[in-house]
Amino acid sequence: MKAEETVEIDLAGKTSLADTMIIASGRSQRHVGSIADKIIQEMKAQGFGNARVEGMPACDWVLIDAGDILVHIFRPEVRGFYNLEKIWGADRPTGARLAG
């Protein structure tokens, strides 16, 4: 999917929202939408059911809420604005890219 700057944040004990938050960037609105579509399809194929999805029409950001796992996919400018890594205490990678 070529997601960029993928970060996994352990939320266990920090909130009752979820156990894990995954944050990734896409290069454009089309890329963000494509990453989200692939994740949603893969979750269904793996038997995780239907996740709640928000943000798909515009694709500046997409939230996939799969219960114990939250996945946020952002365009880089939008990711910087929301700065979820700082809010949840995770350091954002500096140019590093994880497979995703």
Side-chain angles (χ1 to χ4, degrees):
M1 293 179 289
K2 306 285 185 191
E4 299 176 350
E5 297 186 27
T6 302
V7 175
E8 181 178 336
I9 301 171
D10 181 12
L11 297 178
K14 294 181 183 179
T15 182
S16 61
L17 292 173
D19 292 333
T20 303
M21 180 184 299
I22 298 170
I23 304 170
S25 293
R27 295 179 301 278
S28 65
Q29 290 170 315
R30 177 178 275 176
H31 190 212
V32 168
S34 176
I35 293 167
D37 280 337
K38 182 67 175 173
I39 291 171
I40 294 163
Q41 290 173 11
E42 189 63 29
M43 290 176 102
K44 285 180 184 177
Q46 296 292 324
F48 289 101
N50 292 326
R52 290 186 6 205
V53 180
E54 295 184 32
M56 281 298 276
C59 289
D60 282 330
W61 57 267
V62 175
L63 166 63
I64 302 168
D65 181 350
D68 290 338
I69 299 173
L70 297 175
V71 180
H72 291 274
I73 308 154
F74 295 99
R75 284 188 312 106
E77 307 82 41
V78 179
R79 183 176 179 168
F81 176 78
Y82 285 103
N83 204 3
L84 293 180
E85 290 92 343
K86 184 174 182 180
I87 292 170
W88 292 102
D91 294 323
R92 187 169 178 183
T94 54
R97 199 169 103 181
L98 301 176

